[in-house]
Amino acid sequence: MIENQKIRPAKVIGPLGEPLTLDTLPPADTTRWVVRRKAEVVAAVNGGLLTVDDVCQRYNLTVEEFAGWQRAIDRSGMPGLRVTRIQHYKSLYERQQKF
């Protein structure tokens, strides 16, 4: 492992502009994943607070599930994380890719 990868920030900026620390992230036993909680976990990984492996182990997620959250945010922002809108945003993204 490269030496710089061992250094992690104490806090990162969350999806709503608030500081996120390990203590302010959703609890490890979270079962109800609302948009804000998903976005906070993705922001923590993107900011280097946690690794993908850490998140998957801490929250009992699969890598594919977490990658889906990241893709949804990249494509459509926080609204893309809404379970009821996933299919809508997915088809919208696929139509945009055709042009």
Side-chain angles (χ1 to χ4, degrees), residues 66-86:
F66 178 75
W69 294 357
Q70 282 188 313
R71 274 192 309 275
I73 286 180
D74 290 344
R75 290 177 180 174
S76 307
M78 285 181 61
L81 290 171
R82 293 184 62 181
V83 173
T84 57
R85 301 296 288 170
I86 287 174

Side-chain angles (χ1 to χ4, degrees), residues 11-31:
K11 62 181 177 180
V12 296
I13 303 300
L16 302 176
E18 77 288 0
L20 288 177
T21 65
L22 290 175
D23 294 332
T24 60
L25 286 173
D29 61 350
T30 298
T31 56

Side-chain angles (χ1 to χ4, degrees), residues 13-63:
I13 303 300
L16 302 176
E18 77 288 0
L20 288 177
T21 65
L22 290 175
D23 294 332
T24 60
L25 286 173
D29 61 350
T30 298
T31 56
R32 187 168 182 267
W33 286 101
V34 296
V35 171
R36 180 186 50 81
R37 290 182 187 142
K38 291 177 186 178
E40 287 175 345
V41 172
V42 171
V45 171
N46 290 344
L49 191 60
L50 292 172
T51 65
V52 174
D53 292 334
D54 293 338
V55 165
C56 292
Q57 184 176 9
R58 179 176 176 150
Y59 296 112
N60 196 26
L61 300 172
T62 63
V63 173

